[in-house]
Amino acid sequence: MNLTLQLAPGYTVTLQPYTLAGVAVGSPISPSSVAGSLYTFNLTGLAAGDYNVQLAGNWESNGQRFPMRKTALGIYIADYWWQINAAIAGGVVITPPISESVCRVQITVRRGVNAIQARILITCGSTGRLSDTAFADIAFNGETAANGFIQVDLPWSSITGIGKYRFRFLDYDTGDCFHDRTVTVPNIATALYEALT
């Protein structure tokens, strides 16, 4: 599970998690990848829970600690704890699709804490059939709303010939791919993209 932060480019940066009592958790984490101003930290080894995290690097002073919650569904960061609590307490309500054998997948595209508009390209197997409808290898090619939000109806990966889906998020302005992941769409009515495996 990764956390991507947008920072000034060209720095040597680490991320140090602390318990809410202020005790350091493990060693500082170096970015697993850096692309310009986007620093990606692999937090797979960090247990789910609440942390205050701090950025350190080759600048004059370390950054202020900020709240971070890691859950099975994702990583939440904000300026204040109440923002994380409100975002999670609000819950996610996805209206199930009318079609059978289809899962409505909700996607919110973010860069760091900022939701951004992006083009979404989803491809799949090219031989699947559902109620005499054949699927092309492009399952969806469109754009999110300005707030990075979109819901896409996709036939279950278990349908013969469909298999896994490849999700690519493309920069709205440049067309550059900044996220590429292959996952299974489960036999359920609705799902959050970040929960797909």
Side-chain angles (χ1 to χ4, degrees):
M1 194 170 289
N2 293 331
L3 171 66
T4 300
L5 299 173
Q6 188 165 13
L7 308 167
Y11 282 100
T12 301
V13 179
T14 59
L15 181 74
Q16 176 64 60
Y18 293 88
T19 65
L20 298 185
V23 178
V25 178
S27 300
I29 302 166
S30 297
S32 56
S33 69
V34 177
S37 63
L38 298 177
Y39 295 73
T40 300
F41 299 87
N42 183 339
L43 302 182
T44 303
L46 189 65
D50 290 343
Y51 300 91
N52 285 313
V53 294
Q54 183 177 37
L55 289 168
N58 58 337
W59 47 68
E60 197 169 311
S61 62
N62 293 338
Q64 286 190 318
R65 294 180 188 177
F66 58 93
M68 180 185 81
R69 177 171 293 159
K70 181 181 177 187
T71 71
L73 295 179
I75 296 172
Y76 303 85
I77 61 172
D79 294 325
Y80 304 100
W81 279 107
W82 68 263
Q83 294 169 318
I84 292 176
N85 292 333
I88 294 173
V92 177
V93 177
I94 308 172
T95 305
I98 296 171
S99 303
E100 293 182 13
S101 304
V102 170
C103 179
R104 181 163 290 163
V105 178
Q106 179 171 294
I107 303 167
T108 303
V109 179
R110 298 182 184 279
R111 278 208 171 151
V113 295
N114 301 317
I116 61 165
Q117 186 172 20
R119 187 168 146 244
I120 307 291
L121 179 61
I122 305 170
T123 54
C124 65
S126 59
T127 59
R129 297 185 70 81
L130 178 65
S131 301
D132 296 324
T133 304
F135 296 100
D137 62 342
I138 296 179
F140 180 80
N141 184 0
E143 298 172 359
T144 67
N147 64 359
F149 180 84
I150 194 166
Q151 292 182 347
V152 180
D153 291 351
L154 298 168
W156 300 338
S157 292
S158 60
I159 294 172
T160 302
I162 299 278
K164 293 195 170 201
Y165 286 86
R166 182 179 180 190
F167 286 75
R168 283 177 278 182
F169 299 172
L170 308 171
D171 186 279
Y172 184 73
D173 295 317
T174 66
D176 294 336
C177 180
F178 62 88
H179 176 81
D180 189 340
R181 185 166 79 117
T182 300
V183 295
T184 299
V185 172
N187 296 14
I188 56 177
T190 64
L192 295 173
Y193 171 72
E194 55 266 28
L196 301 181
T197 58

